[in-house]
Amino acid sequence: MAKIICKFCNAENEDSRERCFSCNAPLPKSSALSVEDEKSLENFIQSTEKSLLSAKSKADTVTFSLFFLIAIFWVIASFAAYRNFKDERVMVIVLSIVMGIVAFIFFGGLIGHFERKAMRKAFNEKILQTISEYLKATGYTSADFQYVCGKVLTEKSPLLSFLNEI
Ligand SMILES: [Zn+2]
């Protein structure tokens, strides 16, 4: 029989107990998974995490490209104005700087907002489906899944923060 150490009073409990015999605090559920089961769940979780990370970096690339396009457009527009309005160059320069700042703040906020929204939506649907299909196919419970997630994922993991959100 495995033992569970109470994290509040350090008492040793039988793993069949739901609450600490000494201080009555709730104990973490022990897992009935074998080492092999845990290993295969762990592999699945790691690969899900990997695909989340690559989706994130793809979305970052799209955001960066849009920023780059805005910057190019701004440079071309400023340059054209500078060449065409020879008598009002000071005003053109001032306007172009103001325009650039406004465009970057406005579009930057807008793009960032929609990127995050689109990414979250894609994650939700795709990943929830992948996880539930996997659990259905293998017969592991979602408690098993969460147990192994808590063991292998770090605090900064995108999968963990995704799971905490839903
Ligand atoms: Zn206790």
Side-chain angles (χ1 to χ4, degrees), residues 5-161:
I5 308 289
C6 172
K7 64 179 173 184
F8 297 99
C9 71
N10 291 323
E12 247 187 27
N13 287 269
E14 297 298 330
D15 70 355
S16 56
R17 295 188 64 96
E18 285 185 6
R19 287 179 169 276
C20 175
F21 78 92
S22 164
C23 73
N24 206 37
L27 294 169
K29 282 201 183 70
S30 68
S31 171
L33 291 171
S34 69
V35 177
E36 291 81 26
D37 286 340
E38 252 192 72
K39 194 74 207 159
S40 64
L41 260 170
E42 189 181 325
N43 288 338
F44 170 73
I45 288 164
Q46 303 281 26
S47 79
T48 309
E49 172 93 336
K50 230 181 241 169
S51 73
L52 261 178
L53 285 170
S54 88
K56 191 176 179 300
S57 81
K58 232 182 249 171
D60 288 346
T61 307
V62 172
T63 309
F64 178 77
S65 309
L66 283 170
F67 263 117
F68 193 66
L69 282 178
I70 291 171
I72 287 178
F73 177 78
W74 175 69
V75 169
I76 291 172
S78 302
F79 189 67
Y82 188 75
R83 284 190 61 163
N84 289 321
F85 299 99
K86 289 197 168 78
D87 302 330
E88 292 157 281
R89 286 201 159 151
V90 173
M91 205 176 82
V92 166
I93 290 170
V94 170
L95 264 179
S96 133
I97 290 171
V98 170
M99 199 181 80
I101 292 171
V102 169
F104 272 90
I105 293 173
F106 183 70
F107 286 111
L110 216 63
I111 289 168
H113 174 74
F114 284 118
E115 278 291 311
R116 276 193 297 276
K117 222 173 154 183
M119 213 163 71
R120 189 162 295 157
K121 192 163 174 275
F123 285 179
N124 279 7
E125 283 163 8
K126 206 180 130 221
I127 286 192
L128 266 186
Q129 197 189 352
T130 313
I131 292 172
S132 79
E133 271 168 13
Y134 173 81
L135 294 180
K136 206 184 280 175
T138 54
Y140 297 129
T141 65
S142 60
D144 293 335
F145 180 76
Q146 274 167 7
Y147 169 76
V148 180
C149 273
K151 272 180 85 168
V152 299
L153 295 177
T154 60
E155 261 175 57
K156 281 182 187 158
S157 142
L159 178 58
L160 202 62
S161 61

